[in-house]
């Protein structure tokens, strides 16, 4: 705002009535910076020194454990972190390379009851995730299930029949089922495997344990379709299709950060048996998901997109993850433009905004590729009898495991590199 009152034209100082204005301050010689300019230059110089120091520190750290592409990426990420620090944008955490999940062991106990068309059940699971930096995360989940299901079957006789031979026959059956599952969980972050093993033993014995680091809640809805048929010449076929929608929310008790995730899963399997003992089996499972990270004040910080596919009948899983920094002004502007296009029903505007935003995310986001070997073993029983209405019970213990086979990463604006710090540690 403009100042009011008499001012001296040369020095620009306010004067009181009856007092002579001060003489103008002498100007410094040419080439000598004024005091204000010296202060601004000092701040800029300090920022440059900090930037160089952080870059050199990143380069020294990279040279200690990496070579080639690893050094280039580490220095490049160090520069970006330094820019974030100098600009006070709060984006420096995004440019820190995260450790890999190198192994996962999960034990789940599942109990349920089927009566008529109704399904009820309860699951309890403990998962231990080991990471490449030596830390371990232990997650305990308690889930409740409910659903409805029904199945139908039919048998056709084809050809001649006699008292001792029914002739060629064709049998077909189909079942459809829907389930809703929800639960709550807790995650403990541990410094090493020994601490994690001690916590797992305490959880199994239901002993008191310390407060968790992360609180979790999730909800999942599944619908499945199963079709089977058997015909003449020993041909048997069976197929199934499962589609699910799941959501999960977490809150870190220390940082206050909140994550909200949404995933859509699809799984299909086909088994075909023909004459002479020939068999053909195939399966595929896909699960794209999106996770939004918010800070304590509910401001968006990061968006994580994950594509997950199971191959070789579930023996191998491949993950591709894209992390996008939502604190960047370009992302905020792109999202606003996309929303304006959607709200105004301008398809062309929304499409062009989405394409531009996607290209920016692909160039400026972290991309991680992972491949895991997976295995699962189930003990117990899951029996069901259908006499018009179904009656069944389930009491099973399942142990599943994952082991990292390969890992690659590409930092924002960097180069693809193999994560040698991750592979071989499982």
């Amino acid at each position: 705002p403009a100042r009011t009152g008499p001012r001296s034209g040369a020095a620009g100082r306010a004067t009181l009535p009856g007092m002579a204005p001060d003489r103008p301050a002498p100007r410094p010689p040419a080439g000598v910076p004024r005091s204000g300019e010296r202060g601004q230059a000092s701040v800029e110089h300090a920022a440059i020194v900090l930037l160089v120091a952080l870059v050199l520190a990143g380069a020294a750290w990279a040279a200690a454990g990496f070579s080639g592409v690893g050094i280039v990426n580490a220095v490049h990420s160090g520069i970006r972190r330094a820019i974030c620090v100098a600009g006070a944008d709060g984006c420096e955490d995004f440019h820190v390379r995260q450790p890999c999940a190198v192994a996962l062991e999960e034990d789940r106990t599942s109990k349920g009851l089927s009566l008529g068309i109704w399904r009820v059940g309860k699951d309890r699971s403990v998962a231990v995730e080991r990471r490449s930096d030596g830390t371990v995360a232990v997650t305990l989940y308690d889930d409740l299930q409910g659903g409805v299901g029904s199945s139908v079957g039919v048998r056709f006789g084809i050809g001649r029949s006699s008292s001792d031979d029914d002739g060629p026959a064709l049998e077909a059956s189909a079942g459809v089922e829907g389930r809703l599952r929800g639960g709550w969980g807790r995650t403990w972050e541990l410094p090493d495997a020994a601490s994690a093993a001690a916590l797992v033993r305490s959880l199994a014995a239901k002993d008191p344990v310390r407060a968790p680091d992360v609180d979790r809640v999730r909800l999942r809805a599944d619908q499945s379709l199963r079709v089977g048929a058997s015909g003449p010449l020993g041909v048997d076929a069976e197929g199934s299709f499962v589609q699910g929608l799941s959501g999960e929310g977490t809150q870190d008790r220390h940082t206050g950060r909140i994550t909200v995730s949404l995933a859509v899963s699809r799984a299909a399997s086909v088994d075909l048996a023909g004459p002479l003992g020939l068999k053909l089996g195939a399966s595929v499972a896909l699960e794209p998901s999106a996770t939004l990270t918010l800070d304590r004040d509910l401001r968006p910080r990061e968006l994580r997109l994950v594509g997950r596919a199971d191959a070789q009948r579930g023996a191998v899983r491949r993950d591709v993850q894209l992390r996008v920094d939502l604190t960047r002004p370009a992302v905020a502007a792109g999202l606003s433009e996309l929303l304006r296009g959607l709200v105004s029903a301008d398809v062309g505007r929304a499409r062009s905004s989405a394409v531009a935003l996607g290209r920016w995310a692909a160039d400026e986001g972290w991309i991680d590729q992972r491949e895991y070997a997976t295995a699962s073993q189930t003990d117990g029983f899951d029996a069901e009898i259908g006499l018009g209405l179904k009656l069944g019970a389930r009491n099973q213990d399942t142990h599943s495991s994952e082991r990292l086979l390969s890992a690659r990463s590409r930092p924002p604006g960097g180069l693809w590199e193999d994560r040698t710090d991750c592979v071989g540690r499982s």
Side-chain angles (χ1 to χ4, degrees), residues 75 83 94 107 129 201 216 219 258 261 268 285 370 374 398 400 406:
V75 173
I83 294 175
F94 179 80
D107 289 290
E129 179 186 84
R201 289 193 297 268
R216 298 175 175 272
L219 185 67
I258 297 172
S261 304
R370 305 284 186 266
T374 63
T398 301
S400 57
S406 64

Side-chain angles (χ1 to χ4, degrees), residues 139-394:
T139 299
L140 170 66
Y141 249 116
D142 291 293
D143 289 319
L144 298 177
Q145 299 182 25
V148 294
S150 180
S151 62
V152 296
V154 65
R155 182 178 188 275
F156 296 98
I158 303 176
R160 293 184 301 174
S161 64
S162 62
S163 58
D164 58 350
D165 183 11
D166 291 336
L170 174 65
E171 296 185 5
S173 63
V176 61
E177 185 173 347
R179 295 198 181 198
L180 183 65
R181 180 177 64 191
W184 55 95
R186 289 83 72 198
T187 296
W188 291 264
E189 300 285 347
L190 287 309
D192 50 48
S195 301
L199 177 63
V200 170
R201 289 193 297 268
S202 297
L203 292 175
K206 298 184 179 181
D207 294 334
V209 297
R210 69 171 177 85
D213 299 291
V214 179
D215 294 314
R216 298 175 175 272
V217 61
R218 67 181 176 183
L219 185 67
R220 182 181 180 92
D222 292 303
Q223 59 180 2
S224 60
L225 173 65
R226 185 184 69 259
V227 178
S230 63
L233 303 179
V235 176
D236 296 305
E238 182 177 355
S240 64
F241 175 79
V242 180
Q243 182 173 2
L245 178 66
S246 60
E248 183 174 17
T250 72
Q251 182 175 27
D252 191 305
R253 294 191 176 190
H254 304 294
T255 65
R257 286 202 169 186
I258 297 172
T259 65
V260 181
S261 304
L262 184 66
V264 179
S265 61
R266 295 180 176 88
S269 63
V270 176
D271 291 292
L272 178 64
L276 303 179
L278 297 178
K279 293 184 178 181
L280 175 64
S283 65
V284 62
L286 303 173
E287 185 174 344
S289 64
T291 300
L292 176 65
T293 301
L294 310 171
D295 64 14
R296 180 185 303 274
D297 299 320
L298 301 183
R299 291 175 298 191
R301 305 295 302 178
E302 182 179 300
L303 177 65
R304 188 164 64 246
L305 304 175
V306 179
R308 175 171 294 179
D310 290 337
Q312 301 179 19
R313 301 190 67 81
V316 176
R317 192 188 76 239
R318 296 184 177 92
D319 296 348
V320 178
Q321 175 180 269
L322 169 65
R323 293 169 51 220
V324 181
D325 182 9
L326 298 183
T327 64
R328 298 288 298 273
V331 178
L335 289 174
S336 299
E337 184 69 14
L338 176 60
L339 290 176
R340 283 193 290 267
L342 294 174
V343 171
S344 62
D346 189 339
V347 178
R349 183 179 185 181
R351 182 187 299 112
S352 61
S353 301
V355 170
L357 191 61
R359 289 175 178 172
W360 187 93
D363 292 336
E364 295 296 323
W366 272 93
I367 304 178
D368 295 309
Q369 292 182 357
R370 305 284 186 266
E371 187 174 81
Y372 292 90
T374 63
S376 179
Q377 180 178 348
T378 301
D379 297 319
F381 65 88
D382 184 2
E384 199 172 65
I385 300 175
L387 297 173
L389 296 177
K390 286 198 172 184
L391 177 63
R394 181 181 72 254

